Amino acid sequence: MNDGELKERSSGTPQGGVISPVLANLFMHYAFDTWISRKYPQNPWVRYADDGIIHCQSEQEAFNLLEFLKKRMLECGLEIHLDKTKIVYCRSDRYNKRYENESFDFLGYTFRRRSVKSKNGNFFNTFSPAVSKSSAQSFRDKIRKIRKACKTSSLESLAEKLNPIIRGWMNYFTKFCSREARKEIDYVNKTLVQWLKRKYKTVKKSERRAWRMLVHLANSKPKLFYHWEKGIKPTIG
């Protein structure tokens, strides 16, 4: 305990313990995965840790399944988080009614109605994922924190610290609706301009000169930053 007292644990596992997520997934496999696959084989589902999605064909089916799920979780000593659990209507051109909830977040993505371009060049609305606002803000915060911590470092040292974050972001969030993820990579170039203005007196008072310097660096050292290597280089309009 916080005061140093030792107490024997009679239930649960230590938070942050290595075995905790393994045991939790093992428990959920039988409490949820095998149960829903057996009871509701017609409803596709996906689960990651304690977060999941179940697909239904109608609102009534969703309400009924939610009640059955609550009962199942209680039987297993668990409770549904009511504030985080909701029925969502997957609105698109095909399903174009209105509903109280028309979007949800899952694994860093926001799923909602979006306009997309077909192979023949026509635009249509579908229910699809793109990086969530909270994920984008978290990414920007990490980039900004590293930039500020490296204000006296070399550009190479800055790249060494930023590249793992940029690489992970691009590998994960450009799989769906890459144009939304691209906005955050553009932000990286903008924050590099701010770093140059604080680093070099010659561009300190000129945003345009700082951009020119960044463009020159990207052309002369195209593999310095991961996104430059992948072709997302700064430009001047």
Side-chain angles (χ1 to χ4, degrees), residues 187-199:
Y187 172 78
V188 175
N189 287 329
K190 291 177 182 178
T191 205
L192 289 176
V193 166
Q194 298 305 313
W195 184 87
L196 290 174
K197 289 178 68 177
R198 287 168 173 78
K199 180 75 173 179

Side-chain angles (χ1 to χ4, degrees), residues 14-216:
Q15 186 173 5
V18 177
I19 194 63
S20 298
V22 177
L23 292 176
N25 266 313
L26 181 62
F27 186 85
M28 287 301 295
H29 174 72
Y30 293 100
F32 176 79
D33 301 354
T34 58
W35 171 80
I36 195 168
S37 297
R38 183 179 68 256
K39 291 287 188 178
Y40 303 96
Q42 74 279 8
N43 296 99
W45 59 272
V46 60
R47 178 182 68 81
Y48 183 85
D50 61 347
D51 198 3
I53 302 168
I54 306 173
H55 298 275
C56 301
Q57 293 297 319
S58 67
E59 181 185 31
Q60 188 59 53
E61 183 182 40
F63 276 117
N64 292 340
L65 203 156
L66 180 57
E67 290 305 310
F68 288 131
L69 184 60
K70 289 178 182 178
K71 294 178 182 179
R72 172 60 178 175
M73 292 296 102
L74 287 175
E75 291 172 356
C76 298
L78 301 174
E79 289 186 37
I80 296 291
H81 197 306
L82 297 179
D83 293 335
K84 294 183 179 180
T85 304
K86 59 184 179 180
I87 294 174
V88 178
Y89 181 65
C90 302
R91 188 164 174 252
S92 64
D93 282 345
R94 184 179 180 184
Y95 304 103
N96 202 26
K97 295 180 181 180
R98 301 308 303 261
Y99 197 70
E100 179 184 2
N101 301 310
E102 296 180 355
S103 69
F104 65 87
D105 287 2
F106 186 63
L107 300 183
Y109 280 91
T110 294
F111 291 72
R112 65 172 177 81
R113 182 176 181 261
R114 300 179 191 278
S115 178
V116 298
K117 190 176 182 180
S118 66
K119 293 181 179 179
N120 59 13
N122 295 325
F123 284 89
F124 64 98
N125 294 306
T126 186
F127 195 82
S128 61
V131 59
S132 68
K133 290 183 179 179
S134 59
S135 295
Q137 187 59 54
S138 177
F139 175 77
R140 292 192 177 207
D141 290 344
K142 290 178 182 178
I143 297 297
R144 190 184 302 111
K145 184 178 180 180
I146 291 175
R147 186 203 75 197
K148 290 181 178 179
C150 296
K151 58 184 178 181
T152 60
S153 304
S154 65
L155 188 63
E156 287 72 19
S157 179
L158 178 62
E160 185 177 354
K161 289 180 171 60
L162 287 180
N163 278 337
I165 298 173
I166 299 171
R167 184 183 299 109
W169 174 270
M170 291 185 65
N171 288 343
Y172 186 74
F173 284 111
T174 58
K175 299 298 182 183
F176 303 98
C177 198
S178 60
R179 68 178 182 273
E180 292 297 322
R182 168 67 186 267
K183 293 177 182 177
E184 307 314 314
I185 300 302
D186 291 338
Y187 172 78
V188 175
N189 287 329
K190 291 177 182 178
T191 205
L192 289 176
V193 166
Q194 298 305 313
W195 184 87
L196 290 174
K197 289 178 68 177
R198 287 168 173 78
K199 180 75 173 179
Y200 300 102
K201 293 182 179 179
T202 55
V203 298
K204 184 177 182 179
K205 297 182 179 180
S206 175
E207 187 94 3
R208 190 167 185 82
R209 280 202 296 267
W211 273 106
R212 286 176 179 170
M213 177 182 284
L214 190 67
V215 170
H216 172 74

